[in-house]
């Protein structure tokens, strides 16, 4: 049995006629960039994310970059972010000649540890960028408290967490000053190329984001500020407008798949419960925990990825690859150990939790169209290997 990490063709088959019609409509309209289709998407997403302003942009990376530009991050400013995330979170800070300051991760959620943030604040700290990794919220109350105390802005990297609710029920992207989303095809809501979104409830920031999106010109060709080409293609917006009504059902399927993994891992006596942090004979696999599951929200965790931890992760991965089961390592090298950040002077051992996550974590397939048999087979294959 083949179990790919992601099967976008399977999703396309379920909505093919609506997608095809939208693509043809866009071809005939030849309205290709921004315009009414993007405006409709922004309106739809304001509703879905329960925020006041949505601004469609060219990618999740550009969402982060434009957000930092909107709050006026300048050379020498310090921006605190988790050392364990996708590269874009740190890359955009350096591209503005600001200084990324890395923080430690929480061992249960993989998200930035608020206690670690507090120690990193200096007079140059201008922003904190929490990442809602794998589809679950960072501890935002604590982060906002620190930000308020020191008058620092918070940019949420919600690229993997569209629709996720925080413990008080609020949707992510609404809690910090700006929220950043990605429509990269592997995200829960993916378009047919690159695309992204920034959200805010602040009218002034929204206006600034819209101007920065078109090179900083307003009116057109008159520039008070310098922006960039951060425009979203209309054809991507059309695809997203077709997909958005299906998103909740897809999220539910991901959650069902996560429960099946938990059940099968426990049945195979590879784990006793979710959220364990120590390996032993009965816990050879550490399962991810939805920490707000007790709140009974529909979107406490949207499982963009289902990430387990095991000792000897690389050998297990080889075994799974040989058995045609797709996996990925998110992420093998935390920022503080990346070559491009060597000049910042960090060393191995500076962030033991993040380094442990980077060493032991492995993502197994979780996409909505996955069958129960495929999940069963994946867990069986892992069990065979770990019980040898
Ligand atoms: C995907 C992702 C991004 C970047 O999004 P792109 O659309 O690929 O540019 C940023 N941060 C995180 C955490 C991501 O997962």
């Amino acid at each position: 049995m083949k179990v790919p990490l992601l099967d976008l063709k399977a999703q396309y088959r379920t909505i093919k006629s609506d997608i095809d019609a939208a693509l043809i409509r866009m071809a005939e309209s030849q309205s290709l960039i921004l315009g009414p289709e993007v405006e409709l998407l922004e309106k739809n997403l304001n509703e879905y994310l329960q925020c006041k302003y949505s601004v469609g942009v060219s990618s999740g990376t550009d969402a982060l970059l434009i957000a930092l530009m909107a709050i006026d991050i300048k050379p020498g400013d310090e921006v605190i972010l988790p050392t364990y995330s996708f590269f874009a979170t740190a890359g955009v800070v350096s591209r503005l000649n600001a200084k990324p300051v890395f923080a430690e991760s929480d061992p249960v959620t993989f998200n930035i540890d608020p206690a670690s943030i507090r120690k990193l604040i200096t007079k140059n700290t201008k922003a904190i960028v929490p990442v809602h990794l794998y589809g679950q919220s960072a501890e935002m109350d604590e982060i906002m408290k620190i930000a308020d105390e020191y008058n620092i802005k918070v940019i949420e990297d919600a690229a993997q967490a569209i629709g996720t609710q925080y413990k008080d029920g609020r949707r992510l992207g609404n809690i910090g000053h700006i929220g950043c989303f990605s429509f990269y095809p592997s995200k829960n809501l993916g378009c047919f190329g690159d695309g992204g979104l920034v959200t805010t409830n602040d009218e002034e920031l929204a206006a600034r984001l819209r101007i920065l999106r078109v090179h900083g010109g307003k009116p057109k060709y008159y520039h008070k500020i310098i922006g960039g080409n951060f425009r979203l293609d209309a054809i991507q917006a059309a695809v997203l407008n077709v997909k958005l009504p299906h998103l909740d059902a897809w999220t539910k399927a991901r959650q069902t798949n996560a429960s099946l993994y938990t059940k099968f891992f426990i049945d195979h006596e590879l784990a006793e419960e979710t959220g364990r942090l120590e390996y032993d004979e009965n816990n050879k696999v550490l399962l991810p925990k939805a920490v707000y599951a007790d709140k009974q929200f529909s979107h406490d965790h949207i499982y963009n990825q289902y990430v387990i931890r095991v000792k000897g992760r690389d050998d297990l991965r080889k075994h799974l690859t040989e058995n045609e089961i797709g996996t990925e390592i998110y992420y093998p090298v935390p920022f503080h150990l990346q070559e491009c950040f060597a000049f910042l002077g960090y060393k191995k051992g500076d962030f033991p939790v993040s380094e442990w996550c980077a060493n032991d974590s492995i993502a197994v397939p979780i996409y909505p169209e996955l069958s129960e048999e495929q999940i069963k087979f994946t867990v069986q294959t892992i069990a065979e290997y770990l019980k040898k």
Side-chain angles (χ1 to χ4, degrees), residues 79-85 89 100-121 125 127-134 136-144 146 153-157 166 291-292 335 351 353-354 357:
V79 178
I80 298 173
L81 54 109
T83 188
Y84 183 65
S85 174
T89 318
V101 175
F102 303 132
E104 179 63 297
S105 314
D106 176 282
V108 176
T109 63
F110 300 88
N111 285 323
I112 193 166
D113 176 0
S116 143
I117 296 175
R118 210 170 257 285
K119 293 180 243 166
L120 300 171
I121 307 270
T125 309
I128 305 168
V129 185
V131 182
H132 307 301
L133 216 53
Y134 309 144
Q136 171 161 249
S137 180
E139 184 37 88
M140 292 305 292
D141 279 351
E142 272 304 305
I143 293 167
M144 294 313 293
I146 297 168
K153 292 280 191 290
V154 174
I155 309 294
E156 292 176 65
D157 182 343
Y166 184 45
V291 294
Y292 303 129
F335 298 146
F351 299 101
V353 175
S354 302
C357 295

Side-chain angles (χ1 to χ4, degrees), residues 305-321:
Q305 301 298 343
Y306 185 88
V307 175
I308 57 172
R309 280 169 281 191
V310 288
K311 266 190 207 157
R313 182 262 325 267
D314 293 333
D315 291 336
L316 171 66
R317 185 173 194 212
K318 232 164 93 196
H319 179 72
L320 293 174
T321 306

Side-chain angles (χ1 to χ4, degrees), residues 198-220:
V198 275
T199 57
T200 184
N201 290 314
D202 180 318
E203 190 178 350
E204 255 175 64
L205 272 179
R208 201 171 147 81
L209 287 163
R210 285 184 191 287
I211 297 169
L212 285 167
R213 177 171 65 175
V214 288
H215 292 288
K218 192 186 180 182
K220 205 173 180 182

Side-chain angles (χ1 to χ4, degrees), residues 4 27 34 77 106-107 181 219 225 251 258 292 305 308 332 371 380 388:
L34 297 177
D77 288 348
D106 176 282
F181 296 86
I225 52 176
T251 295
Y292 303 129
Q305 301 298 343
I308 57 172
S371 71
Q380 243 162 29
K388 267 195 319 213

Side-chain angles (χ1 to χ4, degrees), residues 153-225:
K153 292 280 191 290
V154 174
I155 309 294
E156 292 176 65
D157 182 343
Q160 301 182 5
I162 191 161
T164 301
Q165 290 168 289
Y166 184 45
K167 65 183 174 194
D168 56 8
R170 271 182 298 174
R171 300 244 171 177
L172 298 183
N174 267 303
I175 304 173
H177 299 88
I178 301 178
C180 301
F181 296 86
S182 165
F183 303 126
Y184 185 77
S186 70
K187 305 293 156 94
N188 286 30
L189 181 64
C191 61
F192 279 13
D194 278 309
L197 186 84
V198 275
T199 57
T200 184
N201 290 314
D202 180 318
E203 190 178 350
E204 255 175 64
L205 272 179
R208 201 171 147 81
L209 287 163
R210 285 184 191 287
I211 297 169
L212 285 167
R213 177 171 65 175
V214 288
H215 292 288
K218 192 186 180 182
K220 205 173 180 182
Y221 307 128
Y222 292 80
H223 300 261
K224 282 202 194 98
I225 52 176

Side-chain angles (χ1 to χ4, degrees), residues 43-65:
K43 185 174 150 283
N44 290 339
L45 285 165
N46 279 342
E47 218 166 282
Y48 186 78
L49 296 169
Q50 296 162 6
C51 65
K52 279 197 191 148
Y53 308 101
S54 288
V55 180
V57 295
S58 31
S59 70
T61 304
D62 284 346
L64 289 163
L65 183 60

